Amino acid sequence: MLLKGAITLTRLQYPQTQRVPSHVMGFSCSRCTRCCTNKWRIEIDDTSCEKLYDQYSLLGRQQKLYKNISVETNGQFVRFASNGNCVFLDDNNLCSIQVQLGQEFLPDVCKLYPRRVFASKRGWEFALSLSCRTAVDTLLHHPITITELPYAAEQPEPPFYFARPNTFKWYFPENQSPDDIRHHYYRLENSLVQILQRTEYSVGERLIMVAAAGCSSCPQALPPDKQLGSFRLFCQKYLSEHGSGRSSQLLRSLLLVVALDTILSLEEATFSIRLTVPPLNPAQYLQTLEKYYFPAQKDVSPLLENYLVNFVLSKHFFFQTFETAYLRMTFLHDAVIFFAVAYAIITRQVVNKPLLLQAIYDVENIFYENWFYAQPPEQSFL
C-alpha cells in the first residue's frame, strides 16, 4: 500500500541532487530502540513486504513472517510481542531483519526514521521527526544551514548517506495554480527560514513576521499573557479525546504544576491529577514566564529557532494551508515553552537547554504526532 501522496519511482526518475540541512547531516542513530518499543504502528510498504516474503520463502520461514505481520485493509503492519516491543526486535535489542537480511530489507519507515524525506525538482529534501530523542539533540547545533550535494547511491563513502526509500512524498509547486501561494513554495520556504533566523528579533517577533509573509488573513502570534487561553483550550480538547493514557497523565500533571507553582516533584503532581484541566490565570502565567523563562530566553532562543526551521523544512506550509501550518507552528512553540516552564518549576531552576530539549521531545510525542489540533476552536484566537 502506498503512502498517501507518495510516488514510487524507477531508478532513472530518482532525483540526482540532495539538499541536506546541517542538523539532518549531523544525526546518527544512537540505537536506543525507543522507536522499536513505543508501540507505534509500524507500516510495511508493499515493496518491502514483497522483498521480505521472497527472502523468508528462500529460508523456508514464510510462516513466521505471516505470524509477525498483520494484514489489514489499509496496509501491512508489524505485530507487537507480548512485552509490547516490535516482534522483529531480538534478545540483544537488535533488529533481526537488519541482522539476518541487511538494511535494504527494512521497511521504509524503519530505514528512514527519524528522517523525513521529500522529493521535488530541486532534489531530495530532508527534515527530522523530533519524536526521536536523539534527533532532538541535533537542534543544539545552530544555525541550521542547507548543503547541496550530488546524489550518488553507489558512492563508497558519500558525505551524506540515506537508505533510498521505495515510497516517499513528491511535491510539485510548479503544478499549483499561479494564484496559490504554494506555486511559489520554493521562494516561500527560503523566505520563512530567513525570517526565523533573524536573530536581531525575538522568536515571538519572528513568528509575527512569518504571519505577515504568508497572508493578511493568517492569525498573528499571541503575546505571552494571551497564549495560555489558546493552549488551555487545546489541552481540554486533547484530554477529552485521549482518555487517561500516559501522555494525558503527563499533561494533566504539568498543567497542575504550572497552576499551583508549589509542586516539588512530578510524582507529587501525578498523584494529585485532577479529572479536568486545573484553572490557569493568564496574568499568573505571565508572572511565571518572567520568573522561569524570560531570564533564559536569549540562551534558549537558538534551540527554538532550529525547532521552527525544522518545522518549515518538513513542508507543512505546502501540504497544508498556510493558516493551518502557521497555527500548528505557533501552538507547538507555545506548548514547548509551557512544558519547559513546568519542568523548571519542578526542578526549581530557570529554563535551560536540557529542559527545553526535553520539552520539545515530550510535546512532539504528545501533540505533534496526533494532529489532534488540526481544527482548533475559534475562540482560541479571540
Side-chain angles (χ1 to χ4, degrees), residues 180-183 185 188-189 192 196 207 210-211 214 218 308-309 311-330:
D180 187 330
I181 191 172
R182 293 177 300 170
H183 182 79
Y185 179 75
L188 173 66
E189 181 179 279
L192 296 183
L196 290 171
L207 285 173
V210 165
C218 188
L308 299 176
V309 168
F311 183 92
V312 171
L313 296 178
S314 298
K315 314 304 177 196
H316 297 295
F317 285 94
F318 182 85
F319 290 108
Q320 289 93 43
T321 66
F322 190 97
E323 293 88 342
T324 300
Y326 180 78
L327 181 62
R328 287 173 172 171
M329 184 170 69
T330 54

PDB file of all heavy atoms in Angstrom, residues 180-183 185 188-189 192 196 207 210-211 214 218 308-309 311-330:
ATOM      1  N   ASP A 180      -2.076  30.528  -6.186  1.00  0.00           N
ATOM      2  CA  ASP A 180      -1.915  29.757  -4.946  1.00  0.00           C
ATOM      3  C   ASP A 180      -0.511  30.018  -4.413  1.00  0.00           C
ATOM      4  O   ASP A 180       0.474  29.913  -5.146  1.00  0.00           O
ATOM      5  CB  ASP A 180      -2.103  28.267  -5.243  1.00  0.00           C
ATOM      6  CG  ASP A 180      -2.124  27.400  -3.988  1.00  0.00           C
ATOM      7  OD1 ASP A 180      -1.478  27.768  -2.995  1.00  0.00           O
ATOM      8  OD2 ASP A 180      -2.779  26.344  -4.022  1.00  0.00           O
ATOM      9  N   ILE A 181      -0.409  30.348  -3.115  1.00  0.00           N
ATOM     10  CA  ILE A 181       0.896  30.659  -2.533  1.00  0.00           C
ATOM     11  C   ILE A 181       1.859  29.487  -2.687  1.00  0.00           C
ATOM     12  O   ILE A 181       3.078  29.671  -2.766  1.00  0.00           O
ATOM     13  CB  ILE A 181       0.735  31.053  -1.043  1.00  0.00           C
ATOM     14  CG1 ILE A 181       2.047  31.646  -0.501  1.00  0.00           C
ATOM     15  CG2 ILE A 181       0.295  29.869  -0.199  1.00  0.00           C
ATOM     16  CD1 ILE A 181       1.909  32.225   0.884  1.00  0.00           C
ATOM     17  N   ARG A 182       1.338  28.272  -2.802  1.00  0.00           N
ATOM     18  CA  ARG A 182       2.206  27.094  -2.943  1.00  0.00           C
ATOM     19  C   ARG A 182       2.888  27.034  -4.307  1.00  0.00           C
ATOM     20  O   ARG A 182       3.867  26.312  -4.465  1.00  0.00           O
ATOM     21  CB  ARG A 182       1.395  25.824  -2.690  1.00  0.00           C
ATOM     22  CG  ARG A 182       0.900  25.674  -1.260  1.00  0.00           C
ATOM     23  CD  ARG A 182       0.051  24.446  -1.102  1.00  0.00           C
ATOM     24  NE  ARG A 182      -1.120  24.498  -1.978  1.00  0.00           N
ATOM     25  CZ  ARG A 182      -1.938  23.471  -2.181  1.00  0.00           C
ATOM     26  NH1 ARG A 182      -1.703  22.305  -1.590  1.00  0.00           N
ATOM     27  NH2 ARG A 182      -2.986  23.590  -2.979  1.00  0.00           N
ATOM     28  N   HIS A 183       2.358  27.768  -5.269  1.00  0.00           N
ATOM     29  CA  HIS A 183       3.020  27.829  -6.573  1.00  0.00           C
ATOM     30  C   HIS A 183       4.416  28.430  -6.437  1.00  0.00           C
ATOM     31  O   HIS A 183       5.324  28.128  -7.219  1.00  0.00           O
ATOM     32  CB  HIS A 183       2.166  28.666  -7.536  1.00  0.00           C
ATOM     33  CG  HIS A 183       2.733  28.749  -8.921  1.00  0.00           C
ATOM     34  ND1 HIS A 183       2.619  27.734  -9.856  1.00  0.00           N
ATOM     35  CD2 HIS A 183       3.447  29.732  -9.528  1.00  0.00           C
ATOM     36  CE1 HIS A 183       3.219  28.087 -10.971  1.00  0.00           C
ATOM     37  NE2 HIS A 183       3.729  29.300 -10.813  1.00  0.00           N
ATOM     38  N   TYR A 185       6.316  28.020  -3.722  1.00  0.00           N
ATOM     39  CA  TYR A 185       6.737  27.430  -2.450  1.00  0.00           C
ATOM     40  C   TYR A 185       8.237  27.503  -2.220  1.00  0.00           C
ATOM     41  O   TYR A 185       8.680  27.763  -1.103  1.00  0.00           O
ATOM     42  CB  TYR A 185       6.283  25.968  -2.338  1.00  0.00           C
ATOM     43  CG  TYR A 185       6.738  25.377  -1.027  1.00  0.00           C
ATOM     44  CD1 TYR A 185       6.092  25.713   0.153  1.00  0.00           C
ATOM     45  CD2 TYR A 185       7.855  24.557  -0.956  1.00  0.00           C
ATOM     46  CE1 TYR A 185       6.531  25.234   1.376  1.00  0.00           C
ATOM     47  CE2 TYR A 185       8.302  24.059   0.254  1.00  0.00           C
ATOM     48  CZ  TYR A 185       7.643  24.406   1.417  1.00  0.00           C
ATOM     49  OH  TYR A 185       8.094  23.946   2.624  1.00  0.00           O
ATOM     50  N   LEU A 188       8.926  30.769  -0.946  1.00  0.00           N
ATOM     51  CA  LEU A 188       8.289  30.923   0.359  1.00  0.00           C
ATOM     52  C   LEU A 188       9.098  30.232   1.448  1.00  0.00           C
ATOM     53  O   LEU A 188       9.354  30.818   2.512  1.00  0.00           O
ATOM     54  CB  LEU A 188       6.869  30.342   0.322  1.00  0.00           C
ATOM     55  CG  LEU A 188       6.132  30.289   1.665  1.00  0.00           C
ATOM     56  CD1 LEU A 188       5.861  31.687   2.189  1.00  0.00           C
ATOM     57  CD2 LEU A 188       4.828  29.493   1.541  1.00  0.00           C
ATOM     58  N   GLU A 189       9.511  28.988   1.203  1.00  0.00           N
ATOM     59  CA  GLU A 189      10.284  28.253   2.211  1.00  0.00           C
ATOM     60  C   GLU A 189      11.583  28.977   2.541  1.00  0.00           C
ATOM     61  O   GLU A 189      11.925  29.146   3.726  1.00  0.00           O
ATOM     62  CB  GLU A 189      10.591  26.841   1.713  1.00  0.00           C
ATOM     63  CG  GLU A 189      11.379  26.007   2.719  1.00  0.00           C
ATOM     64  CD  GLU A 189      11.644  24.612   2.207  1.00  0.00           C
ATOM     65  OE1 GLU A 189      10.745  23.751   2.308  1.00  0.00           O
ATOM     66  OE2 GLU A 189      12.766  24.368   1.709  1.00  0.00           O
ATOM     67  N   LEU A 192      10.739  32.011   4.707  1.00  0.00           N
ATOM     68  CA  LEU A 192      10.368  31.690   6.091  1.00  0.00           C
ATOM     69  C   LEU A 192      11.593  31.314   6.915  1.00  0.00           C
ATOM     70  O   LEU A 192      11.719  31.712   8.079  1.00  0.00           O
ATOM     71  CB  LEU A 192       9.338  30.559   6.105  1.00  0.00           C
ATOM     72  CG  LEU A 192       7.981  30.852   5.460  1.00  0.00           C
ATOM     73  CD1 LEU A 192       7.048  29.659   5.614  1.00  0.00           C
ATOM     74  CD2 LEU A 192       7.356  32.106   6.048  1.00  0.00           C
ATOM     75  N   LEU A 196      12.949  33.311  10.248  1.00  0.00           N
ATOM     76  CA  LEU A 196      13.129  32.630  11.535  1.00  0.00           C
ATOM     77  C   LEU A 196      14.571  32.706  12.026  1.00  0.00           C
ATOM     78  O   LEU A 196      14.831  32.545  13.225  1.00  0.00           O
ATOM     79  CB  LEU A 196      12.693  31.169  11.416  1.00  0.00           C
ATOM     80  CG  LEU A 196      11.187  30.944  11.253  1.00  0.00           C
ATOM     81  CD1 LEU A 196      10.885  29.480  10.932  1.00  0.00           C
ATOM     82  CD2 LEU A 196      10.442  31.369  12.521  1.00  0.00           C
ATOM     83  N   LEU A 207       7.879  35.137  14.642  1.00  0.00           N
ATOM     84  CA  LEU A 207       6.635  34.451  14.314  1.00  0.00           C
ATOM     85  C   LEU A 207       5.608  35.419  13.732  1.00  0.00           C
ATOM     86  O   LEU A 207       4.857  35.068  12.817  1.00  0.00           O
ATOM     87  CB  LEU A 207       6.069  33.753  15.548  1.00  0.00           C
ATOM     88  CG  LEU A 207       6.789  32.473  15.978  1.00  0.00           C
ATOM     89  CD1 LEU A 207       6.250  31.966  17.306  1.00  0.00           C
ATOM     90  CD2 LEU A 207       6.656  31.392  14.912  1.00  0.00           C
ATOM     91  N   VAL A 210       6.559  35.984  10.228  1.00  0.00           N
ATOM     92  CA  VAL A 210       6.189  34.845   9.392  1.00  0.00           C
ATOM     93  C   VAL A 210       4.729  34.968   8.956  1.00  0.00           C
ATOM     94  O   VAL A 210       4.390  34.740   7.788  1.00  0.00           O
ATOM     95  CB  VAL A 210       6.411  33.515  10.143  1.00  0.00           C
ATOM     96  CG1 VAL A 210       5.698  32.359   9.441  1.00  0.00           C
ATOM     97  CG2 VAL A 210       7.904  33.212  10.250  1.00  0.00           C
ATOM     98  N   ALA A 211       3.856  35.350   9.882  1.00  0.00           N
ATOM     99  CA  ALA A 211       2.443  35.523   9.544  1.00  0.00           C
ATOM    100  C   ALA A 211       2.284  36.589   8.472  1.00  0.00           C
ATOM    101  O   ALA A 211       1.525  36.421   7.515  1.00  0.00           O
ATOM    102  CB  ALA A 211       1.644  35.897  10.789  1.00  0.00           C
ATOM    103  N   GLY A 214       3.104  35.374   5.024  1.00  0.00           N
ATOM    104  CA  GLY A 214       2.205  34.407   4.422  1.00  0.00           C
ATOM    105  C   GLY A 214       0.977  35.027   3.817  1.00  0.00           C
ATOM    106  O   GLY A 214       0.790  35.011   2.610  1.00  0.00           O
ATOM    107  N   CYS A 218      -3.888  35.429   8.041  1.00  0.00           N
ATOM    108  CA  CYS A 218      -3.280  34.485   8.981  1.00  0.00           C
ATOM    109  C   CYS A 218      -3.334  35.040  10.393  1.00  0.00           C
ATOM    110  O   CYS A 218      -2.986  36.201  10.616  1.00  0.00           O
ATOM    111  CB  CYS A 218      -1.829  34.210   8.592  1.00  0.00           C
ATOM    112  SG  CYS A 218      -1.077  32.899   9.548  1.00  0.00           S
ATOM    113  N   LEU A 308      11.703  25.562  14.935  1.00  0.00           N
ATOM    114  CA  LEU A 308      10.747  26.118  13.980  1.00  0.00           C
ATOM    115  C   LEU A 308      11.243  25.981  12.547  1.00  0.00           C
ATOM    116  O   LEU A 308      10.449  25.735  11.627  1.00  0.00           O
ATOM    117  CB  LEU A 308      10.473  27.587  14.321  1.00  0.00           C
ATOM    118  CG  LEU A 308       9.855  27.834  15.705  1.00  0.00           C
ATOM    119  CD1 LEU A 308       9.715  29.331  15.960  1.00  0.00           C
ATOM    120  CD2 LEU A 308       8.512  27.135  15.849  1.00  0.00           C
ATOM    121  N   VAL A 309      12.550  26.110  12.323  1.00  0.00           N
ATOM    122  CA  VAL A 309      13.102  25.921  10.980  1.00  0.00           C
ATOM    123  C   VAL A 309      12.876  24.477  10.526  1.00  0.00           C
ATOM    124  O   VAL A 309      12.500  24.228   9.369  1.00  0.00           O
ATOM    125  CB  VAL A 309      14.607  26.279  10.945  1.00  0.00           C
ATOM    126  CG1 VAL A 309      15.255  25.806   9.643  1.00  0.00           C
ATOM    127  CG2 VAL A 309      14.794  27.784  11.102  1.00  0.00           C
ATOM    128  N   PHE A 311      10.458  22.619  11.399  1.00  0.00           N
ATOM    129  CA  PHE A 311       9.030  22.545  11.081  1.00  0.00           C
ATOM    130  C   PHE A 311       8.780  23.019   9.652  1.00  0.00           C
ATOM    131  O   PHE A 311       8.052  22.390   8.887  1.00  0.00           O
ATOM    132  CB  PHE A 311       8.230  23.395  12.074  1.00  0.00           C
ATOM    133  CG  PHE A 311       6.742  23.342  11.880  1.00  0.00           C
ATOM    134  CD1 PHE A 311       5.973  22.419  12.564  1.00  0.00           C
ATOM    135  CD2 PHE A 311       6.108  24.211  11.011  1.00  0.00           C
ATOM    136  CE1 PHE A 311       4.594  22.362  12.393  1.00  0.00           C
ATOM    137  CE2 PHE A 311       4.731  24.166  10.815  1.00  0.00           C
ATOM    138  CZ  PHE A 311       3.976  23.236  11.512  1.00  0.00           C
ATOM    139  N   VAL A 312       9.398  24.129   9.270  1.00  0.00           N
ATOM    140  CA  VAL A 312       9.234  24.649   7.911  1.00  0.00           C
ATOM    141  C   VAL A 312       9.786  23.652   6.897  1.00  0.00           C
ATOM    142  O   VAL A 312       9.154  23.372   5.872  1.00  0.00           O
ATOM    143  CB  VAL A 312       9.929  26.013   7.766  1.00  0.00           C
ATOM    144  CG1 VAL A 312       9.947  26.460   6.306  1.00  0.00           C
ATOM    145  CG2 VAL A 312       9.239  27.065   8.632  1.00  0.00           C
ATOM    146  N   LEU A 313      10.958  23.096   7.173  1.00  0.00           N
ATOM    147  CA  LEU A 313      11.584  22.159   6.239  1.00  0.00           C
ATOM    148  C   LEU A 313      10.804  20.852   6.113  1.00  0.00           C
ATOM    149  O   LEU A 313      11.045  20.076   5.187  1.00  0.00           O
ATOM    150  CB  LEU A 313      13.023  21.868   6.676  1.00  0.00           C
ATOM    151  CG  LEU A 313      13.978  23.069   6.660  1.00  0.00           C
ATOM    152  CD1 LEU A 313      15.357  22.653   7.157  1.00  0.00           C
ATOM    153  CD2 LEU A 313      14.072  23.686   5.268  1.00  0.00           C
ATOM    154  N   SER A 314       9.862  20.610   7.043  1.00  0.00           N
ATOM    155  CA  SER A 314       9.010  19.418   6.971  1.00  0.00           C
ATOM    156  C   SER A 314       7.843  19.602   6.005  1.00  0.00           C
ATOM    157  O   SER A 314       6.970  18.730   5.907  1.00  0.00           O
ATOM    158  CB  SER A 314       8.482  19.062   8.367  1.00  0.00           C
ATOM    159  OG  SER A 314       9.550  18.744   9.244  1.00  0.00           O
ATOM    160  N   LYS A 315       7.815  20.740   5.300  1.00  0.00           N
ATOM    161  CA  LYS A 315       6.867  21.000   4.203  1.00  0.00           C
ATOM    162  C   LYS A 315       5.427  21.165   4.659  1.00  0.00           C
ATOM    163  O   LYS A 315       4.494  21.011   3.870  1.00  0.00           O
ATOM    164  CB  LYS A 315       6.918  19.891   3.127  1.00  0.00           C
ATOM    165  CG  LYS A 315       8.302  19.473   2.704  1.00  0.00           C
ATOM    166  CD  LYS A 315       9.151  20.617   2.196  1.00  0.00           C
ATOM    167  CE  LYS A 315      10.556  20.147   1.846  1.00  0.00           C
ATOM    168  NZ  LYS A 315      11.530  21.223   1.703  1.00  0.00           N
ATOM    169  N   HIS A 316       5.214  21.513   5.926  1.00  0.00           N
ATOM    170  CA  HIS A 316       3.846  21.737   6.375  1.00  0.00           C
ATOM    171  C   HIS A 316       3.191  22.895   5.634  1.00  0.00           C
ATOM    172  O   HIS A 316       1.976  22.885   5.420  1.00  0.00           O
ATOM    173  CB  HIS A 316       3.833  22.008   7.883  1.00  0.00           C
ATOM    174  CG  HIS A 316       4.322  20.864   8.698  1.00  0.00           C
ATOM    175  ND1 HIS A 316       3.662  19.660   8.759  1.00  0.00           N
ATOM    176  CD2 HIS A 316       5.421  20.712   9.483  1.00  0.00           C
ATOM    177  CE1 HIS A 316       4.316  18.825   9.543  1.00  0.00           C
ATOM    178  NE2 HIS A 316       5.392  19.442   9.988  1.00  0.00           N
ATOM    179  N   PHE A 317       3.986  23.871   5.249  1.00  0.00           N
ATOM    180  CA  PHE A 317       3.424  25.026   4.559  1.00  0.00           C
ATOM    181  C   PHE A 317       3.106  24.727   3.097  1.00  0.00           C
ATOM    182  O   PHE A 317       2.559  25.571   2.402  1.00  0.00           O
ATOM    183  CB  PHE A 317       4.366  26.229   4.673  1.00  0.00           C
ATOM    184  CG  PHE A 317       4.352  26.861   6.031  1.00  0.00           C
ATOM    185  CD1 PHE A 317       5.282  26.492   6.989  1.00  0.00           C
ATOM    186  CD2 PHE A 317       3.405  27.804   6.359  1.00  0.00           C
ATOM    187  CE1 PHE A 317       5.264  27.057   8.253  1.00  0.00           C
ATOM    188  CE2 PHE A 317       3.371  28.377   7.620  1.00  0.00           C
ATOM    189  CZ  PHE A 317       4.301  28.011   8.577  1.00  0.00           C
ATOM    190  N   PHE A 318       3.434  23.535   2.646  1.00  0.00           N
ATOM    191  CA  PHE A 318       2.996  23.101   1.326  1.00  0.00           C
ATOM    192  C   PHE A 318       1.826  22.137   1.421  1.00  0.00           C
ATOM    193  O   PHE A 318       0.844  22.270   0.687  1.00  0.00           O
ATOM    194  CB  PHE A 318       4.132  22.432   0.546  1.00  0.00           C
ATOM    195  CG  PHE A 318       3.721  22.021  -0.847  1.00  0.00           C
ATOM    196  CD1 PHE A 318       3.766  22.930  -1.887  1.00  0.00           C
ATOM    197  CD2 PHE A 318       3.263  20.728  -1.109  1.00  0.00           C
ATOM    198  CE1 PHE A 318       3.362  22.567  -3.182  1.00  0.00           C
ATOM    199  CE2 PHE A 318       2.860  20.351  -2.387  1.00  0.00           C
ATOM    200  CZ  PHE A 318       2.908  21.285  -3.421  1.00  0.00           C
ATOM    201  N   PHE A 319       1.909  21.161   2.325  1.00  0.00           N
ATOM    202  CA  PHE A 319       0.890  20.119   2.388  1.00  0.00           C
ATOM    203  C   PHE A 319      -0.360  20.545   3.145  1.00  0.00           C
ATOM    204  O   PHE A 319      -1.373  19.851   3.104  1.00  0.00           O
ATOM    205  CB  PHE A 319       1.477  18.840   2.991  1.00  0.00           C
ATOM    206  CG  PHE A 319       2.468  18.161   2.093  1.00  0.00           C
ATOM    207  CD1 PHE A 319       3.824  18.172   2.394  1.00  0.00           C
ATOM    208  CD2 PHE A 319       2.063  17.549   0.927  1.00  0.00           C
ATOM    209  CE1 PHE A 319       4.745  17.553   1.560  1.00  0.00           C
ATOM    210  CE2 PHE A 319       2.973  16.926   0.076  1.00  0.00           C
ATOM    211  CZ  PHE A 319       4.315  16.926   0.395  1.00  0.00           C
ATOM    212  N   GLN A 320      -0.306  21.652   3.905  1.00  0.00           N
ATOM    213  CA  GLN A 320      -1.500  22.236   4.500  1.00  0.00           C
ATOM    214  C   GLN A 320      -1.635  23.686   4.020  1.00  0.00           C
ATOM    215  O   GLN A 320      -0.719  24.228   3.416  1.00  0.00           O
ATOM    216  CB  GLN A 320      -1.436  22.221   6.039  1.00  0.00           C
ATOM    217  CG  GLN A 320      -1.565  20.837   6.659  1.00  0.00           C
ATOM    218  CD  GLN A 320      -0.215  20.197   6.901  1.00  0.00           C
ATOM    219  OE1 GLN A 320       0.716  20.842   7.359  1.00  0.00           O
ATOM    220  NE2 GLN A 320      -0.127  18.913   6.610  1.00  0.00           N
ATOM    221  N   THR A 321      -2.787  24.274   4.315  1.00  0.00           N
ATOM    222  CA  THR A 321      -2.922  25.691   4.017  1.00  0.00           C
ATOM    223  C   THR A 321      -1.948  26.471   4.892  1.00  0.00           C
ATOM    224  O   THR A 321      -1.528  25.996   5.963  1.00  0.00           O
ATOM    225  CB  THR A 321      -4.345  26.195   4.302  1.00  0.00           C
ATOM    226  OG1 THR A 321      -4.601  26.108   5.716  1.00  0.00           O
ATOM    227  CG2 THR A 321      -5.380  25.379   3.538  1.00  0.00           C
ATOM    228  N   PHE A 322      -1.591  27.660   4.456  1.00  0.00           N
ATOM    229  CA  PHE A 322      -0.652  28.459   5.231  1.00  0.00           C
ATOM    230  C   PHE A 322      -1.205  28.719   6.628  1.00  0.00           C
ATOM    231  O   PHE A 322      -0.468  28.637   7.623  1.00  0.00           O
ATOM    232  CB  PHE A 322      -0.383  29.794   4.521  1.00  0.00           C
ATOM    233  CG  PHE A 322       0.756  30.567   5.129  1.00  0.00           C
ATOM    234  CD1 PHE A 322       2.033  30.486   4.585  1.00  0.00           C
ATOM    235  CD2 PHE A 322       0.571  31.355   6.256  1.00  0.00           C
ATOM    236  CE1 PHE A 322       3.090  31.178   5.151  1.00  0.00           C
ATOM    237  CE2 PHE A 322       1.615  32.050   6.839  1.00  0.00           C
ATOM    238  CZ  PHE A 322       2.881  31.963   6.272  1.00  0.00           C
ATOM    239  N   GLU A 323      -2.498  29.034   6.721  1.00  0.00           N
ATOM    240  CA  GLU A 323      -3.100  29.338   8.022  1.00  0.00           C
ATOM    241  C   GLU A 323      -3.001  28.149   8.972  1.00  0.00           C
ATOM    242  O   GLU A 323      -2.657  28.306  10.148  1.00  0.00           O
ATOM    243  CB  GLU A 323      -4.567  29.762   7.850  1.00  0.00           C
ATOM    244  CG  GLU A 323      -4.763  31.076   7.143  1.00  0.00           C
ATOM    245  CD  GLU A 323      -4.838  30.909   5.628  1.00  0.00           C
ATOM    246  OE1 GLU A 323      -4.404  29.839   5.115  1.00  0.00           O
ATOM    247  OE2 GLU A 323      -5.325  31.833   4.960  1.00  0.00           O
ATOM    248  N   THR A 324      -3.319  26.941   8.462  1.00  0.00           N
ATOM    249  CA  THR A 324      -3.264  25.748   9.317  1.00  0.00           C
ATOM    250  C   THR A 324      -1.836  25.446   9.762  1.00  0.00           C
ATOM    251  O   THR A 324      -1.587  25.150  10.937  1.00  0.00           O
ATOM    252  CB  THR A 324      -3.850  24.535   8.572  1.00  0.00           C
ATOM    253  OG1 THR A 324      -5.211  24.801   8.237  1.00  0.00           O
ATOM    254  CG2 THR A 324      -3.778  23.283   9.428  1.00  0.00           C
ATOM    255  N   ALA A 325      -0.889  25.520   8.831  1.00  0.00           N
ATOM    256  CA  ALA A 325       0.510  25.248   9.176  1.00  0.00           C
ATOM    257  C   ALA A 325       1.017  26.268  10.188  1.00  0.00           C
ATOM    258  O   ALA A 325       1.712  25.916  11.153  1.00  0.00           O
ATOM    259  CB  ALA A 325       1.380  25.275   7.917  1.00  0.00           C
ATOM    260  N   TYR A 326       0.662  27.527   9.987  1.00  0.00           N
ATOM    261  CA  TYR A 326       1.113  28.561  10.906  1.00  0.00           C
ATOM    262  C   TYR A 326       0.517  28.361  12.292  1.00  0.00           C
ATOM    263  O   TYR A 326       1.200  28.520  13.311  1.00  0.00           O
ATOM    264  CB  TYR A 326       0.727  29.942  10.369  1.00  0.00           C
ATOM    265  CG  TYR A 326       1.164  31.079  11.273  1.00  0.00           C
ATOM    266  CD1 TYR A 326       2.495  31.509  11.277  1.00  0.00           C
ATOM    267  CD2 TYR A 326       0.272  31.693  12.129  1.00  0.00           C
ATOM    268  CE1 TYR A 326       2.904  32.522  12.114  1.00  0.00           C
ATOM    269  CE2 TYR A 326       0.677  32.714  12.969  1.00  0.00           C
ATOM    270  CZ  TYR A 326       1.994  33.124  12.958  1.00  0.00           C
ATOM    271  OH  TYR A 326       2.400  34.128  13.788  1.00  0.00           O
ATOM    272  N   LEU A 327      -0.764  28.004  12.350  1.00  0.00           N
ATOM    273  CA  LEU A 327      -1.415  27.759  13.626  1.00  0.00           C
ATOM    274  C   LEU A 327      -0.730  26.617  14.361  1.00  0.00           C
ATOM    275  O   LEU A 327      -0.485  26.689  15.569  1.00  0.00           O
ATOM    276  CB  LEU A 327      -2.890  27.430  13.403  1.00  0.00           C
ATOM    277  CG  LEU A 327      -3.715  27.175  14.663  1.00  0.00           C
ATOM    278  CD1 LEU A 327      -3.747  28.411  15.545  1.00  0.00           C
ATOM    279  CD2 LEU A 327      -5.123  26.742  14.297  1.00  0.00           C
ATOM    280  N   ARG A 328      -0.411  25.545  13.641  1.00  0.00           N
ATOM    281  CA  ARG A 328       0.274  24.413  14.270  1.00  0.00           C
ATOM    282  C   ARG A 328       1.651  24.825  14.781  1.00  0.00           C
ATOM    283  O   ARG A 328       2.072  24.438  15.871  1.00  0.00           O
ATOM    284  CB  ARG A 328       0.409  23.271  13.267  1.00  0.00           C
ATOM    285  CG  ARG A 328      -0.895  22.560  12.977  1.00  0.00           C
ATOM    286  CD  ARG A 328      -0.754  21.559  11.854  1.00  0.00           C
ATOM    287  NE  ARG A 328      -1.973  20.761  11.712  1.00  0.00           N
ATOM    288  CZ  ARG A 328      -2.214  19.934  10.724  1.00  0.00           C
ATOM    289  NH1 ARG A 328      -1.316  19.789   9.777  1.00  0.00           N
ATOM    290  NH2 ARG A 328      -3.338  19.246  10.667  1.00  0.00           N
ATOM    291  N   MET A 329       2.374  25.601  13.992  1.00  0.00           N
ATOM    292  CA  MET A 329       3.714  26.004  14.388  1.00  0.00           C
ATOM    293  C   MET A 329       3.690  26.871  15.641  1.00  0.00           C
ATOM    294  O   MET A 329       4.486  26.663  16.568  1.00  0.00           O
ATOM    295  CB  MET A 329       4.402  26.752  13.242  1.00  0.00           C
ATOM    296  CG  MET A 329       5.851  27.121  13.544  1.00  0.00           C
ATOM    297  SD  MET A 329       6.765  27.753  12.104  1.00  0.00           S
ATOM    298  CE  MET A 329       5.942  29.320  11.857  1.00  0.00           C
ATOM    299  N   THR A 330       2.784  27.839  15.699  1.00  0.00           N
ATOM    300  CA  THR A 330       2.724  28.711  16.874  1.00  0.00           C
ATOM    301  C   THR A 330       2.232  27.948  18.099  1.00  0.00           C
ATOM    302  O   THR A 330       2.684  28.194  19.217  1.00  0.00           O
ATOM    303  CB  THR A 330       1.826  29.920  16.608  1.00  0.00           C
ATOM    304  OG1 THR A 330       0.533  29.483  16.169  1.00  0.00           O
ATOM    305  CG2 THR A 330       2.420  30.826  15.554  1.00  0.00           C
TER     306      THR A 330
END
